Amino acid sequence: MEQFDYIIIGAGSAGCTLANRLGEDRAKRILIVEAGPMDRNLLIHVPAGVYKAWREPKFNWNYDTEPEPELLNQQVFMPRGKVLGGSSSINSMVYMRGHPLDFDGWEQECGLPGWGYAHCLPYFKAGESYNRGGDAWRGGEGPLGTCKGDYENPLYDAFVQAGEEAGQGYTDDLNGYQPEGVARLDATKRDGRRCSAAVAHLRPALARGNVSLITRAMVERIDIAQGRAQGITYRHRGALHQARASGEVILSGGALNSPHLLMLSGIGPAAHLKEHGIACLVDAPDVGQNLQDHASIILQFESRKHYPIHTVDRPWNKAMAGLRWVFTRDGIAASNIWEAGGLVRGNDHVAYPNLQYHMGPVGFEYVGNKITLSQAFAIHVDQLRPRSRGELRLRSANPGDKPLMQFNYLSDPHDLKELVEGVHKCRDLVAQGAFDALRGAEMIPGPHVKSDEEIAQWVRGVTTTDFHPSCTCRMGPDDRAVVDGECRVKGVEGLRVVDASVMPRITSANLNAPTQMIAARAADFIAGRPQRAPEYPGFAFEA
C-alpha cells in the first residue's frame, strides 16, 4: 500500500490541471488514477481525426440516458472521455469560457463569494497561451494552447457576415471584450495539433518526477474512516489495490462519474443508498441531483458550391489530407471543423445571450461509428441556460455497472420555447444576402417544417446533447449543497470534488475551459496558496 500526499481520481480536464498545479511543489507526492488508456492514438492528436476517434469504445465511456419523456422517449447517447485527457482528448476543441455574467450569477445568486468573473478571469488568463498574444482579457504564457480558427472556407466568411446582416452581432473574440455575437471561434490547438489537458498539464507534471500515473485503473471506492477520506481502492489488471493519502483525496471523474463514485463510497441520498445495500456514511441528498446540459439541435443546408472538405471522407482525399498534416500540420486535418459560431439572443427579453451556434462547412450523417459527408453546411443551435433538471442514480452497487441518468430534457416548457426561437434565428441568419451565392435548399429540418408547433415537434424528435453534463455535486452555502465554495465535500474531511459537477449552474458555453479554471483555483485552495488578485477590465455589455 503506497502513501501519497494527494490522490487524484480521473485524468481528465480537471485532474490533469490539478496534477500540474499541485505538482509544482516537488516535495509533494501525487498519484493520479485514470480508468482509460494512454492517449497514444494518433487520431486523438489530429484535430479532424476526432470525428473517428470520439466514438471509439476504447476511449469513451459510451453512456446513454434513460428514455427521455419529452424527447419522444428516445435515449440520448452521452459520450465521455475514458482516456488520458478525458473528454478534452475526444471533444471538438472549442475553447469558450462562458459569459462573465454566468460567474457573477454564481457569486451573487448562488451565494458563492469569490466566484464572480473578476476572480475567475486571472485563472483563465494564467491557464492559456493564446496565439494572438495576451491582453487584459486573454493569457499569453499559460500551458493550454488556444488559437483563433484559421482554416479558410467561404462558408465560414458567409456565416460571420450573415450574422452581422441579421443584426445578431459580430465580435472579434467571444472570450474577450465583447462576449456576444457571431465570430470565428477559438480552439484548444497548438501548432496544428490538439492541445488536450493531458498535453498541456499532465505531461509537464509527470516530467517533474513527483507525480505518478496509473492508467486502466478503475477506482471502486473512496476509503473513509472516522469521518475522513483515507485513500482509495482500485482495480488494476484484475486485482484490487489500495493507496493512501496523508493530505487529500480529490475526485475529478466528471459530472457523471463523480456522483456515481461518491454514492458507491457511501456519500449520497440515504434512502437510495439503502436500496442498493450501501452503508450511508454521509446523507447527502443532492449528490447526483441538479443534472444540467445544453440541449442541441442541428440544422443542415445544401451548399451550392463544392469545397474540398465535402469529400475529404473519400479514401484518397483522406490519405492526402493526413499526409499534408504529417508534413505541414495544416490543411483540413488540422481543423476542428466547428471553427465559426456565436452567442446570440433568441428574444429581446434575455439579459445576455441564451443561444449558441457552432457552424461547420460540411454536412454529415453518422451511421454507427461511420461518418458520411455531403456538400452542405451544418449549424448546431444550443439552448444555454436550461430550466430543466435531471438526476443521476445508481443502477446497482457494482462499480462496473453504469449509472442511471435522466436529464429530463425540455421538461420545462421554457427550454422548448427557446429552441424553437433558435430555429427561427438560425434560419434568419442563413437567409441573409451573404449566403445568396452559397445557400442551397434546407435539408434538415426542411422547408415543410414551418409553424412553431411543427418546429416544436421536430425539436422533440431530434434534440441531443452538446456534451456538457454538469452540476451534479454543486457548490453552495446551503446544507443540501454537496461541496462548499472551496470544493470540499460536506461531512467528510480530506475529500474534494473538482470538475464540472461542482458548478451550481451550467455556464453559457462549452465547459472545458471553465472546468480547467475551477481546477486551477481548487489547486490553490488545496495547497493553501493565496488566490490570484481579481481583475475586471470591463466588457461591451456594460457600455
Side-chain angles (χ1 to χ4, degrees):
M1 186 185 302
E2 287 194 87
Q3 187 84 17
F4 298 88
D5 295 285
Y6 304 119
I7 296 174
I8 301 168
I9 305 169
S13 293
C16 291
T17 304
L18 284 164
N20 195 20
R21 295 284 287 118
L22 291 173
E24 291 172 359
D25 182 350
R26 293 175 184 253
K28 301 296 185 183
R29 291 193 66 213
I30 300 165
L31 173 66
I32 184 165
V33 182
E34 167 57 40
M38 296 292 289
D39 57 341
R40 294 193 179 101
N41 189 292
L42 182 62
L43 292 177
I44 289 174
H45 302 285
V46 181
V50 66
Y51 301 100
K52 174 66 175 176
W54 77 284
R55 287 179 173 241
E56 170 57 58
K58 295 177 183 177
F59 312 138
N60 196 330
W61 288 95
N62 284 317
Y63 291 129
D64 289 287
T65 72
E66 295 302 291
E68 294 286 345
E70 296 302 320
L71 304 187
L72 310 182
N73 283 321
Q74 296 177 91
Q75 292 180 279
V76 175
F77 175 52
M78 188 64 57
R80 293 284 86 200
K82 186 181 181 182
V83 61
L84 214 66
S87 294
S88 77
S89 287
I90 65 166
N91 67 6
S92 293
M93 290 163 275
V94 175
Y95 178 84
M96 291 278 282
R97 297 172 177 176
H99 198 282
L101 292 178
D102 291 331
F103 303 95
D104 290 349
W106 288 7
E107 181 172 56
Q108 297 163 13
E109 298 164 23
C110 300
L112 290 166
W115 280 99
Y117 197 70
H119 299 271
C120 298
L121 178 58
Y123 286 89
F124 280 123
K125 290 173 62 178
E128 73 162 332
S129 182
Y130 190 35
N131 72 329
R132 301 202 298 181
D135 57 25
W137 300 273
R138 304 301 298 264
E141 299 179 354
L144 181 70
T146 61
C147 65
K148 180 69 67 180
D150 60 3
Y151 179 63
E152 293 184 6
N153 187 294
L155 287 164
Y156 289 134
D157 301 332
F159 175 84
V160 173
Q161 184 180 339
E164 290 188 86
E165 292 174 356
Q168 297 183 25
Y170 167 78
T171 178
D172 184 56
D173 186 2
L174 283 167
N175 294 303
Y177 170 68
Q178 185 170 317
E180 180 170 356
V182 295
R184 289 299 295 261
L185 300 178
D186 296 326
T188 50
K189 295 191 297 182
R190 180 188 290 131
D191 299 327
R193 293 173 58 97
R194 174 191 293 273
C195 189
S196 68
V199 170
H201 298 285
L202 188 55
R203 281 186 171 74
L206 294 173
R208 295 191 191 105
N210 60 326
V211 175
S212 299
L213 168 68
I214 302 176
T215 58
R216 302 182 187 273
M218 183 76 171
V219 178
E220 297 201 349
R221 68 174 180 270
I222 300 164
D223 297 321
I224 300 169
Q226 289 80 51
R228 183 175 183 85
Q230 307 285 336
I232 59 172
T233 297
Y234 63 95
R235 187 172 297 276
H236 185 235
R237 297 178 178 174
L240 284 177
H241 304 265
Q242 289 185 311
R244 288 291 173 258
S246 59
E248 296 192 21
V249 176
I250 308 153
L251 175 53
S252 296
L256 305 181
N257 290 337
S258 285
H260 187 227
L261 186 57
L262 284 180
M263 288 189 279
L264 290 171
S265 304
I267 303 169
H272 181 56
L273 300 186
K274 184 178 180 181
E275 289 174 7
H276 295 285
I278 298 172
C280 182
L281 303 180
V282 178
D283 183 8
D286 271 17
V287 170
Q289 300 300 302
N290 196 42
L291 177 58
Q292 297 171 45
D293 187 19
H294 292 140
S296 184
I297 54 176
I298 305 173
L299 287 78
Q300 297 199 40
F301 302 82
E302 291 178 351
S303 171
R304 295 174 65 182
K305 295 187 178 181
H306 175 269
Y307 299 105
I309 195 171
H310 294 147
T311 51
V312 73
D313 58 333
R314 296 177 184 175
W316 174 254
N317 296 341
K318 188 187 301 183
M320 294 305 295
L323 282 172
R324 177 173 175 176
W325 182 87
V326 167
F327 289 107
T328 68
R329 294 293 190 268
D330 64 8
I332 294 172
S335 172
N336 62 313
I337 310 303
W338 304 101
E339 288 198 16
L343 298 176
V344 302
R345 303 177 192 227
N347 58 66
D348 296 330
H349 308 297
V350 292
Y352 59 105
N354 64 328
L355 298 171
Q356 182 174 7
Y357 296 136
H358 295 88
M359 185 270 185
V362 62
F364 64 93
E365 181 182 12
Y366 273 103
V367 178
N369 288 339
K370 181 176 175 55
I371 185 172
T372 301
L373 305 182
S374 60
Q375 186 174 315
F377 59 95
I379 303 175
H380 269 271
V381 181
D382 295 358
Q383 195 242 350
L384 293 178
R385 292 190 294 283
R387 295 182 183 177
S388 303
R389 298 290 184 268
E391 66 174 349
L392 181 139
R393 295 163 291 144
L394 293 172
R395 190 179 300 273
S396 75
N398 182 350
D401 286 345
K402 295 179 179 181
L404 294 164
M405 57 192 75
Q406 186 94 56
F407 283 76
N408 292 322
Y409 293 107
L410 311 186
S411 58
D412 190 304
H414 169 83
D415 298 347
L416 177 60
K417 176 178 179 292
E418 291 202 331
L419 278 176
V420 171
E421 291 172 347
V423 173
H424 290 304
K425 296 292 284 191
C426 183
R427 283 174 162 174
D428 183 49
L429 185 150
V430 176
Q432 299 302 311
F435 270 113
D436 283 351
L438 301 173
R439 177 187 58 249
E442 181 179 299
M443 301 162 59
I444 301 172
H448 62 285
V449 179
K450 297 178 181 178
S451 69
D452 283 359
E453 291 75 16
E454 290 169 335
I455 294 171
Q457 187 63 14
W458 173 76
V459 166
R460 289 190 186 96
V462 301
T463 290
T464 187
T465 175
D466 207 12
F467 320 113
H468 301 154
S470 55
C471 306
T472 47
C473 299
R474 69 175 177 89
M475 289 190 286
D478 58 290
D479 292 340
R480 290 183 65 96
V482 179
V483 301
D484 66 12
E486 295 189 6
C487 301
R488 294 174 291 209
V489 175
K490 297 184 179 184
V492 185
E493 293 184 5
L495 177 62
R496 300 193 202 225
V497 177
V498 180
D499 53 37
S501 71
V502 304
M503 294 180 174
R505 291 195 307 224
I506 195 169
T507 54
S508 301
N510 311 68
L511 300 190
N512 185 43
T515 297
Q516 293 192 33
M517 177 275 295
I518 289 169
R521 295 199 69 188
D524 282 349
F525 292 138
I526 294 165
R529 297 187 290 246
Q531 292 283 295
R532 294 180 181 272
E535 302 175 29
Y536 203 85
F539 296 91
F541 58 84
E542 295 181 329

